[in-house]
């Protein structure tokens, strides 16, 4: 049996994005899973402590990500902690996110950080 195409293949057109008024924005994921799944898939160490806080370290140990729901800082509005250090161990910069920031947004921030393997900006 021989199969022949009678019409050229045409992929389905992409659906147009919804209008801004109809879009469902990230609002409700406040667990650590989207972040820990991303980081585990990239070879990061991920450890949960007895208080249900989660601590993550990059393979080179220069980036720390903490999901700290049982910390004093979380009571003050800082649930997520991200610390980046220079090669000499000094803090290069920090970022925190509050309890109302969806975990997918934190994961997106970290995915962007991971996607740029050099510390230098091309525009400088």
């Amino acid at each position: 049996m021989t199969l022949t195409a009678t019409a050229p293949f045409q992929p389905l057109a992409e659906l147009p994005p919804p209008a801004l008024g109809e879009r469902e924005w990230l609002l409700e994921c406040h667990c650590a899973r989207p972040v820990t799944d991303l980081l585990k898939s990239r070879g990061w160490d991920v450890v949960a402590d007895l208080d249900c806080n989660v601590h993550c370290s990059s393979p080179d140990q220069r980036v720390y990500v903490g999901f700290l729901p049982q910390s004093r800082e979380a009571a003050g509005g800082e649930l997520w902690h991200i610390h980046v250090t220079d090669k000499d161990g000094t803090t290069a910069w920090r970022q925190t996110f509050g309890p109302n920031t969806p975990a997918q947004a934190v994961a997106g921030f970290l995915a962007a950080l991971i996607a740029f393997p050099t510390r230098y900006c091309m525009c400088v």
Side-chain angles (χ1 to χ4, degrees):
M1 171 164 73
T2 304
L3 296 175
T4 57
T6 57
F9 173 75
Q10 295 193 4
L12 296 174
E14 288 187 36
L15 295 174
L20 286 180
E22 299 170 5
R23 180 170 168 68
E24 291 189 32
W25 296 99
L26 296 173
L27 296 175
E28 298 185 5
C29 183
H30 306 294
C31 69
R33 187 152 205 179
V35 172
T36 57
D37 286 352
L38 168 73
L39 298 180
K40 283 179 185 178
S41 74
R42 302 296 172 95
W44 290 46
D45 295 326
V46 177
V47 177
D49 65 22
L50 296 175
D51 292 327
C52 297
N53 295 311
V54 180
H55 308 275
C56 310
S57 296
S58 63
D60 65 1
Q61 303 297 303
R62 292 188 47 213
V63 181
Y64 166 81
V65 176
F67 175 74
L68 310 173
Q70 300 302 320
S71 69
R72 182 179 42 219
E73 292 86 359
E78 296 178 350
L79 179 63
W80 291 94
H81 291 251
I82 301 167
H83 301 228
V84 178
T85 59
D86 280 327
K87 290 181 181 179
D88 65 3
T90 60
T91 299
W93 59 270
R94 301 170 181 247
Q95 178 64 48
T96 61
F97 294 97
N100 294 327
T101 304
Q104 297 97 325
V106 177
F109 176 86
L110 291 166
L113 176 66
I114 292 167
F116 291 93
T118 181
R119 66 182 282 175
Y120 299 104
C121 179
M122 299 296 285
C123 63
V124 179

